[in-house]
Amino acid sequence: MFEGKCLIVEGRSDKLQIEPILNENVTILCTNGTIGVHQLEELLDPYESCELFTFFDADTSGDKLRALMDRHYPEAEHLRTMPTYKEVETTPRKVLAMILLRAHFSIHNEYIL
């Protein structure tokens, strides 16, 4: 079992956009798009003792994933990008940093506005 923070994103591009911002060890898991309950449970089972966060796109796919997480992991905190950017991977890192900072993640100083 793992401990600490676990951030669930949709894809590898989202993970690569967020990773450099973080100034702490955070497990970042990718759903690789819309997944079912069984796959989600398999993905998150080793991380059930972690503090769960989601950071999905501001679109229909992201809404479906948030709803799935709400049903099966209601303790997860949802982070959201601004509708202007729609996707995590296209959101500027400084904007992502502010969203992560508000959720009490430690970020590198160079990303603070």
Side-chain angles (χ1 to χ4, degrees):
M1 291 297 196
F2 296 94
E3 292 185 7
K5 293 178 182 172
C6 181
L7 182 62
I8 303 115
V9 299
E10 290 183 62
R12 185 173 181 270
S13 297
D14 298 337
K15 179 179 179 175
L16 294 174
Q17 182 73 341
I18 291 171
E19 263 180 335
I21 299 168
L22 296 169
N23 192 22
E24 65 179 300
N25 288 329
V26 176
T27 300
I28 303 177
L29 302 175
C30 301
T31 65
N32 295 315
T34 305
I35 62 174
V37 175
H38 181 70
Q39 295 93 343
L40 182 65
E41 288 173 351
E42 282 183 352
L43 179 68
L44 295 182
D45 187 49
Y47 304 95
E48 66 182 24
S49 62
C50 290
E51 190 175 359
L52 298 176
F53 295 85
T54 68
F55 209 151
F56 301 138
D57 295 343
D59 60 11
T60 303
S61 177
D63 291 342
K64 287 179 184 177
L65 285 167
R66 275 186 285 280
L68 181 64
M69 287 294 296
D70 279 341
R71 283 193 303 278
H72 297 281
Y73 298 92
E75 70 278 10
E77 183 177 338
H78 301 292
L79 308 180
R80 297 175 188 265
T81 188
M82 295 174 186
T84 306
Y85 303 113
K86 295 185 182 173
E87 298 176 343
V88 172
E89 72 179 87
T90 59
T91 303
R93 285 189 175 151
K94 289 193 180 222
V95 173
L96 293 174
M98 297 315 317
I99 295 166
L100 291 164
L101 192 60
R102 278 188 241 124
H104 306 289
F105 283 83
S106 178
I107 61 169
H108 289 287
N109 289 335
E110 66 194 77
Y111 293 104
I112 295 176
L113 295 175

